[in-house]
C-alpha cells in the first residue's frame, strides 16, 4: 500500500473515532458522577500527563506545575513506551449513602501503579499495585491492578495515578461497585480456569500419546501448548499471582516475551513435522527448517536484550509466524497433505483472535469480553482443532501403514517369513548373550555397579580426557564403618541388602556423568569429572557421606547405623595415572580410618 493510501486510511479511522466519541457524549467537563448501581468506564474522564524522565513527584503533579491534558479517543493506548504517565480523574458522589467502588484496570500487564487519592480536605491516601509487586505487597492481591475506594455522600475526590510499564501502555479502567466487581472477577476466573485446564489437558494428553507412539508431532504440539500457556498466564496476570509470586524482577518480566517466542518457534517446528513436506514439497520443508533455526536465535535473543525490545521481537515474530504457518497450510492443501485443511483453519482462528486483541490495544474497537479475551478464545479453538488434526493425521498414517503391511504380508512366502523370524530370533539371542557377558565382566553382580575391572577401564579414559581439557578429576574412595558387625549379627543376606542400599544412594546422589563402582567387600569408589576446585570436591565428599550414612532398614525390620570413611584424591590427568589416583584416595581413606572414622579427607 502506498504512503498516501496509509494516510487516507489513518484519516478515516480518526474521523470514525471522532464520530463515535461525539455519539457517545465524550465528557468535556472531565468530572465523573458516580452511578449508584452499575460500573462506569473512566476512559472519558481521564486527563493525562506524560513524564519522559520519570522524575516528577506527586507534589509537583498535584500542585499544578505540570498541566494535564484531556485524553482523546484512543489516547489511553500509548503503545510501547518507556515514559511514565500520570492519570487524573475527578470523581464526585451525588448519592445520599456511602458508595464502595473498585478501580480496575482492564489490562493486567502493567508493571507498577501508584494511586494518590486527594479528598476535599486535602488529605492524601496512597495505594500501590502492579504485576511487578509481590501479591502480598499489592493493595489487593488480584491478577489485575485493583484499588478499593469509598466515597461518602456528596464527596468529591481527585485521583492521581502514576503508571510505569515495559509493555504496552494501555490505561483503560473502570469504577465498579464492589459486589459487581467480584461477581465479574469470579466469572473471569472461571473462564480462565476452563481455558488453562483445557491447555493442560491437551498438552498432557498429547504428551502421553507421544510416549506411546513416539511420534515427534505429539511432543512438539504438547511443548507448544505448555509454553503458550505459561506466556498467556503471565500476560493475564495469573502467573505472577499464583505460579511465580516471588519472581518480581527482570526474569519475571521476560517470561511473557520468551514464552511466546518459544511457542512461535515450537509452532514452526510442529508445522514442519505435522505437514511432513520433506518428500512432497522439499523446498517448503527446507524453508520451515531455516525459519525454525532463525526463531531459536530470536528466542535466545529475548533473554539478552532489554525487556521492551524482547516484547517487540515477540510481536514481530507473532505476525511473521502466523503468516508463515498460514502459507504453509495453503501449500499443504495444494499438495493434498492429510489434515492440512484443519491445520489452516486452526491458524486462521488464532489470527482472528490475535487481531481482535491487537486492534483493541490500538483503541480502534471497544473493550469487551471477546476483544479482551480474543487471543485466548482463538488459541483455545486453534489448539483443539490442531489436536483433531493430529488425530486425523495419525489415523491416516496408521491406515496407510496397515495397508502397506498387509500387502507385504500377502506377497511374502511362508518359508521366507519363517526364515526371517528365526534369523531375528537367533540374532536377538546372540545380542542378549553378548550384552549379558559384557555386563558380567565389568559389573558387580550384587549391586549392578561397575566392578574394579570396569572402573579401571573407564578411569583411564577419564584421566586422558581430563588431561586434554585441563579439568580437575576426583577419585572418591568410600569404606563403610560398621559393616562387619551388621554382617556378623544379622547374616550375609542383611549385609547384601545394606550394600545394595548404599549402592542405590550413591547412584542417586552422584551426577549422571559420574562413575560409581564397588571394588571390594564394603569399599566403593565414585569418579567425578570437572569438579571445579578442591573445595568443591570436599563438598561432594561430604554430601556423599551424609547420603549413605543414614540408618538402613534391614529385612528383619531393624535399623542398622552405618558410617563411612571417605578419602579423596584429585588430579588433572597426566599428573597421575588412574591407579595412582586410586592409591591416593585409598591412603586418604585409611587416614580417616586411623584417626576418627566417619569423615572426609582430601589427599593433598
Amino acid at each position: 500500500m502506498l504512503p498516501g493510501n496509509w494516510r487516507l486510511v489513518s484519516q478515516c479511522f480518526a474521523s470514525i473515532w471522532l464520530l463515535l466519541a461525539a455519539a457517545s457524549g465524550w465528557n468535556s467537563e472531565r468530572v465523573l458522577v458516580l452511578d449508584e448501581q452499575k460500573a462506569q468506564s473512566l476512559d472519558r474522564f481521564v486527563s493525562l500527563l506524560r513524564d519522559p524522565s520519570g522524575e516528577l513527584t506527586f507534589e509537583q503533579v498535584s500542585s499544578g506545575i505540570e498541566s494535564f491534558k484531556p485524553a482523546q479517543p484512543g489516547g489511553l493506548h500509548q503503545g510501547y513506551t518507556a515514559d511514565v504517565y500520570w492519570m487524573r480523574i475527578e470523581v464526585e458522589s451525588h448519592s445520599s449513602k456511602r458508595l464502595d467502588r473498585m478501580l480496575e484496570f482492564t489490562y493486567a500487564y502493567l508493571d507498577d501503579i501508584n494511586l494518590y487519592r486527594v479528598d476535599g480536605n486535602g488529605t492524601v491516601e496512597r495505594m500501590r499495585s502492579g504485576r511487578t509487586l509481590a501479591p502480598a505487597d499489592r493493595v489487593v492481591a488480584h491478577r489485575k491492578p485493583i484499588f478499593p475506594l469509598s466515597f461518602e455522600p456528596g464527596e468529591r475526590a481527585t485521583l492521581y495515578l502514576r503508571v510505569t510499564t515495559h509493555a504496552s501502555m494501555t490505561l483503560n479502567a473502570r469504577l465498579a461497585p464492589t459486589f459487581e466487581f467480584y461477581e465479574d472477577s469470579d466469572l473471569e476466573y472461571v473462564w480462565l480456569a476452563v481455558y488453562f485446564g483445557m491447555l493442560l489437558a491437551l498438552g498432557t494428553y498429547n504428551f502421553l500419546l507421544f510416549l506411546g507412539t513416539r511420534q515427534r508431532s505429539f511432543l512438539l504440539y504438547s511443548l507448544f501448548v505448555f509454553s503458550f500457556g505459561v506466556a498467556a498466564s503471565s500476560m493475564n496476570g495469573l502467573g505472577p499471582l499464583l505460579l511465580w509470586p516471588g519472581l518480581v524482577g527482570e526474569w519475571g518480566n521476560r517470561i511473557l516475551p520468551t514464552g511466546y517466542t518459544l511457542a512461535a518457534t515450537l509452532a514452526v517446528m510442529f508445522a514442519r513435522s505435522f505437514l511432513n513436506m520433506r518428500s512432497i514439497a522439499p523446498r517448503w520443508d527446507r524453508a520451515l527448517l531455516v525459519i525454525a533455526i532463525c526463531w531459536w536465535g530470536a528466542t535466545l535473543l529475548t533473554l539478552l536484550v532489554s525487556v521492551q525490545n524482547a516484547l517487540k521481537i515477540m510481536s514481530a515474530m507473532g505476525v511473521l509466524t502466523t503468516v508463515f504457518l498460514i502459507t504453509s497450510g495453503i501449500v499443504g492443501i495444494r499438495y493434498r497433505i492429510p489434515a492440512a485443511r484443519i491445520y489452516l483453519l486452526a491458524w486462521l482462528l488464532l489470527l482472528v483472535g490475535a487481531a481482535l486483541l491487537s486492534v483493541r490495544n490500538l483503541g480502534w474497537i471497544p473493550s469487551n469480553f471477546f476483544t479482551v479475551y480474543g487471543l485466548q478464545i482463538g488459541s483455545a479453538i486453534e489448539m483443539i482443532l490442531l489436536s483433531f488434526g493430529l488425530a486425523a493425521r495419525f489415523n491416516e498414517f496408521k491406515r496407510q501403514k496397515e495397508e502397506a503391511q498387509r500387502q507385504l504380508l500377502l506377497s511374502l512366502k511362508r518359508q521366507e517369513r519363517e526364515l526371517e523370524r528365526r534369523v531375528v530370533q537367533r540374532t536377538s539371542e546372540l545380542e542378549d548373550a553378548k550384552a549379558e557377558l559384557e555386563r558380567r565382566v565389568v559389573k558387580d553382580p550384587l549391586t549392578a555397579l561397575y566392578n574394579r575391572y570396569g572402573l579401571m577401564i573407564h578411569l583411564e579414559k577419564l584421566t586422558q580426557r581430563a588431561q586434554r581439557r585441563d579439568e580437575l578429576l576426583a577419585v572418591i574412595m568410600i569404606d563403610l564403618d560398621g559393616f562387619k558387625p551388621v554382617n556378623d549379627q544379622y547374616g550375609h543376606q542383611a549385609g547384601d541388602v545394606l550394600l545394595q542400599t548404599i549402592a542405590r544412594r550413591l547412584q542417586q546422589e552422584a551426577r549422571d556423568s559420574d562413575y560409581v563402582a564397588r571394588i571390594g567387600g564394603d569399599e566403593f569408589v565414585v569418579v567425578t569429572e570437572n569438579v571445579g576446585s578442591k573445595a568443591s570436591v570436599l563438598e561432594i565428599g561430604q554430601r556423599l557421606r551424609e547420603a549413605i550414612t543414614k540408618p538402613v532398614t534391614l529385612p528383619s525390620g531393624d535399623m542398622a547405623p552405618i558410617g563411612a570413611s571417605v578419602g579423596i584424591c584429585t588430579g588433572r590427568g597426566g599428573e597421575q595415572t588412574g591407579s595412582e589416583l586410586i592409591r591416593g584416595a585409598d591412603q586418604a581413606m585409611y587416614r580417616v580410618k586411623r584417626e576418627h572414622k566417619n569423615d572426609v579427607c582430601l589427599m593433598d
Side-chain angles (χ1 to χ4, degrees):
M1 184 178 292
L2 298 175
N5 293 337
W6 276 114
R7 286 194 294 270
L8 179 61
V9 172
S10 301
Q11 292 171 359
C12 291
F13 272 115
S15 301
I16 292 172
W17 256 116
L18 292 174
L19 291 173
L20 291 175
S24 60
W26 194 269
N27 196 333
S28 60
E29 297 180 356
R30 302 291 176 180
V31 178
L32 172 64
V33 178
L34 292 177
D35 189 292
E36 294 188 9
Q37 302 296 329
K38 61 183 180 179
Q40 296 169 276
S41 171
L42 300 180
D43 296 357
R44 297 186 295 117
F45 304 92
V46 175
S47 296
L48 291 177
L49 172 61
R50 180 168 167 262
D51 180 12
S53 65
E55 297 178 354
L56 290 178
T57 64
F58 166 70
E59 288 74 16
Q60 294 173 317
V61 170
S62 60
S63 65
I65 296 177
E66 301 290 340
S67 59
F68 282 82
K69 296 181 180 179
Q72 298 303 316
L76 295 179
H77 304 277
Q78 299 297 327
Y80 292 102
T81 175
D83 297 341
V84 175
Y85 273 82
W86 287 84
M87 305 169 63
R88 186 178 68 190
I89 307 108
E90 298 285 346
V91 183
E92 186 172 353
S93 174
H94 292 175
S95 175
S96 60
K97 60 183 179 180
R98 169 177 166 171
L99 299 179
D100 295 323
R101 293 292 182 267
M102 301 293 281
L103 194 159
E104 172 193 9
F105 282 84
T106 58
Y107 188 51
Y109 207 76
L110 295 172
D111 288 353
D112 193 358
I113 305 176
N114 286 273
L115 182 145
Y116 302 87
R117 171 190 171 144
V118 184
D119 61 18
N121 299 324
T123 304
V124 179
E125 178 185 4
R126 181 184 175 185
M127 290 176 276
R128 192 179 180 193
S129 187
R131 65 179 302 277
T132 57
L133 300 180
D137 297 331
R138 305 175 192 176
V139 62
V140 176
H142 195 272
R143 68 184 188 88
K144 295 180 181 179
I146 302 297
F147 299 93
L149 300 171
S150 296
F151 298 90
E152 299 298 331
E155 180 181 7
R156 178 165 179 162
T158 304
L159 307 178
Y160 294 90
L161 296 104
R162 183 182 187 273
V163 185
T164 61
T165 186
H166 67 273
S168 175
M169 186 70 73
T170 303
L171 303 177
N172 301 92
R174 67 168 187 162
L175 271 176
T178 303
F179 177 78
E180 180 180 341
F181 162 77
Y182 281 110
E183 192 176 54
D184 294 343
S185 179
D186 290 343
L187 182 60
E188 289 177 350
Y189 276 122
V190 168
W191 283 111
L192 289 173
V194 171
Y195 173 72
F196 286 107
M198 184 206 69
L199 294 191
L200 181 62
L202 285 175
T204 304
Y205 173 70
N206 283 276
F207 181 73
L208 293 176
L209 286 178
F210 163 73
L211 295 179
T213 63
R214 296 298 174 182
Q215 289 285 329
R216 187 164 172 261
S217 297
F218 290 111
L219 175 62
L220 292 172
Y221 176 77
S222 63
L223 294 176
F224 162 70
V225 170
F226 289 141
S227 58
F228 191 95
V230 170
S233 69
S234 177
M235 183 174 185
N236 59 40
L238 280 181
L241 179 66
L242 302 175
L243 300 181
W244 52 86
L247 192 62
V248 296
E250 179 181 354
W251 290 109
N253 295 333
R254 292 187 183 276
I255 291 177
L256 174 67
T258 303
Y260 273 137
T261 52
L262 177 60
T265 304
L266 292 169
V268 174
M269 296 179 65
F270 167 76
R272 183 168 177 258
S273 176
F274 180 87
L275 296 174
N276 194 25
M277 294 181 175
R278 182 175 301 178
S279 57
I280 301 175
R283 291 184 179 179
W284 280 101
D285 181 75
R286 287 193 295 270
L288 289 176
L289 176 60
V290 171
I291 294 170
I293 294 173
C294 294
W295 265 213
W296 274 115
T299 302
L300 294 176
L301 192 60
T302 60
L303 298 172
L304 303 176
V305 300
S306 66
V307 176
Q308 195 166 71
N309 287 331
L311 288 167
K312 294 178 181 179
I313 293 173
M314 175 197 75
S315 301
M317 283 183 61
V319 174
L320 293 176
T321 301
T322 305
V323 172
F324 292 148
L325 296 180
I326 291 177
T327 304
S328 63
I330 295 173
V331 173
I333 294 176
R334 177 185 174 187
Y335 286 100
R336 298 184 179 181
I337 295 175
R341 295 181 184 275
I342 297 177
Y343 168 90
L344 178 60
L345 177 61
W347 289 112
L348 285 174
L349 289 173
L350 180 61
L351 176 62
V352 170
L356 283 175
L357 179 63
S358 300
V359 175
R360 200 274 311 184
N361 285 340
L362 291 172
W364 294 354
I365 58 178
S367 295
N368 55 45
F369 179 83
F370 291 102
T371 58
V372 172
Y373 296 102
L375 181 62
Q376 283 90 335
I377 295 172
S379 63
I381 301 175
E382 176 252 358
M383 291 179 188
I384 292 175
L385 288 176
L386 285 181
S387 186
F388 288 157
L390 274 173
R393 177 180 174 274
F394 176 72
N395 289 333
E396 176 63 20
F397 285 160
K398 182 179 178 182
R399 186 194 65 78
Q400 294 176 1
K401 182 179 179 180
E402 290 174 350
E403 178 65 19
Q405 289 177 343
R406 189 180 69 85
Q407 293 296 332
L408 178 62
L409 290 174
L410 291 175
S411 65
L412 293 176
K413 297 179 181 179
R414 181 184 297 264
Q415 293 180 354
E416 292 175 337
R417 292 200 307 269
E418 181 65 19
L419 178 61
E420 181 182 1
R421 185 188 65 81
R422 291 183 178 182
V423 170
V424 171
Q425 180 180 0
R426 185 56 180 165
T427 302
S428 177
E429 291 174 353
L430 290 174
E431 290 177 350
D432 292 342
K434 179 184 177 182
E436 178 63 19
L437 182 61
E438 291 177 349
R439 188 188 67 81
R440 291 184 179 183
V441 170
V442 299
K443 290 294 184 77
D444 173 49
L446 177 63
T447 62
L449 300 177
Y450 287 108
N451 56 22
R452 181 182 292 273
Y453 177 70
L455 173 67
M456 296 308 297
I457 291 175
H458 290 289
L459 187 55
E460 292 303 321
K461 296 178 182 178
L462 295 178
T463 55
Q464 295 173 9
R465 187 158 59 195
Q467 183 179 15
R468 288 197 307 271
R469 298 177 178 178
D470 192 27
E471 295 175 347
L472 197 62
L473 181 70
V475 174
I476 304 173
M477 178 77 71
I478 302 168
D479 185 84
L480 301 182
D481 300 327
F483 170 71
K484 189 175 185 302
V486 173
N487 219 20
D488 295 341
Q489 182 176 353
Y490 297 98
H492 292 290
Q493 182 181 2
D496 291 345
V497 170
L498 188 146
L499 292 174
Q500 291 169 343
T501 302
I502 298 301
R504 285 195 299 271
R505 292 177 180 177
L506 285 173
Q507 286 179 308
Q508 292 170 357
E509 195 64 24
R511 300 179 302 180
D512 292 339
S513 60
D514 294 344
Y515 288 88
V516 184
R518 177 188 175 217
I519 63 172
D522 60 345
E523 288 186 341
F524 296 86
V525 172
V526 177
V527 182
T528 181
E529 296 181 277
N530 192 18
V531 293
S533 65
K534 294 186 178 181
S536 300
V537 178
L538 280 173
E539 291 179 2
I540 295 172
Q542 288 287 3
R543 190 175 72 247
L544 292 175
R545 185 190 65 80
E546 291 172 0
I548 65 179
T549 54
K550 297 175 183 178
V552 177
T553 303
L554 300 177
S556 62
D558 295 323
M559 300 294 291
I562 196 72
S565 296
V566 181
I568 306 174
C569 185
T570 61
R572 292 189 177 274
E575 299 176 354
Q576 299 94 1
T577 64
S579 299
E580 289 172 342
L581 290 173
I582 291 287
R583 187 159 51 251
D586 191 61
Q587 292 172 1
M589 181 269 292
Y590 274 104
R591 180 181 297 175
V592 177
K593 283 282 191 183
R594 289 194 303 269
E595 294 178 356
H596 40 71
K597 296 186 177 181
N598 198 26
D599 202 354
V600 179
C601 176
L602 173 64
M603 175 61 70
D604 190 2

